[in-house]
Amino acid sequence: MKPIIHRIAAITATLCIATFFTSTLLVEIFGTKESIQLVKSLIVFPGLFILVPAIATAGATGAAMAKQRRGKVIERKSKRMPIIAFNGIVILIPAAYFLNQWAKAGEFDSIFYGVQLLELMAGSVNLSLMVLNIKDGRKFRPNKK
């Protein structure tokens, strides 16, 4: 059951990050101030309320399953998780709240876009690491033909 829960949580978290990243880029390029405000609001709620439990579940179930296994793949996945967690807790979550508040206030200034750039960079790092974890995790699945 743990592998199924882990897989669902990991895919959900990865899709959330991909959706946040893509919607941010698209709305910044093609959107209005109102659409930017909407996207920032949706990233905070319900976005973070889906992402945070999903990533916590993926981390917890992954750590529990890793106790039963050893090897290079587990080492790689285990080394990526602290970076993903750090980016999420220190950069992505605070940035999402900050950007939402500033967008609501109509403050689309250099500070807003500086934080937006930082969020996009941290998000791209997390998305890349999460995709690598999923790719490595697939090595543990039995081949189904």
Side-chain angles (χ1 to χ4, degrees):
M1 190 63 152
K2 263 187 241 173
I4 294 169
I5 293 169
H6 180 73
R7 193 173 308 127
I8 291 168
I11 290 169
T12 299
T14 305
L15 289 174
C16 281
I17 296 290
T19 300
F20 298 170
F21 187 87
T22 304
S23 61
T24 294
L25 282 178
L26 291 175
V27 78
E28 290 294 345
I29 295 168
F30 302 111
T32 63
K33 287 183 179 185
E34 293 79 18
S35 60
I36 293 170
Q37 290 168 334
L38 178 62
V39 166
K40 295 298 159 198
S41 174
L42 291 172
I43 287 173
V44 171
F45 184 80
L48 292 179
F49 290 86
I50 297 168
L51 173 63
V52 171
I55 208 159
T57 301
T61 56
M65 291 186 304
K67 289 178 183 177
Q68 300 165 1
R69 295 182 185 249
R70 295 286 172 249
K72 292 179 183 180
V73 173
I74 296 297
E75 281 182 35
R76 285 194 306 258
K77 288 177 65 116
S78 296
K79 285 180 182 178
R80 292 180 195 130
M81 284 311 297
I83 299 166
I84 293 168
F86 178 85
N87 279 344
I89 293 167
V90 175
I91 299 171
L92 295 173
I93 292 172
Y97 279 103
F98 173 86
L99 292 168
N100 182 43
Q101 290 304 310
W102 279 49
K104 279 184 186 176
E107 297 287 333
F108 298 100
D109 56 10
S110 59
I111 295 172
F112 177 89
Y113 287 107
V115 173
Q116 181 69 79
L117 180 61
L118 179 64
E119 182 189 52
L120 287 169
M121 289 188 305
S124 66
V125 168
N126 271 16
L127 185 57
S128 298
L129 294 175
M130 292 164 81
V131 167
L132 288 172
N133 274 359
I134 289 172
K135 184 178 174 184
D136 278 346
R138 292 180 55 85
K139 294 175 183 173
F140 293 114
R141 292 180 69 185
N143 290 335
K144 295 182 181 180
K145 294 184 180 185

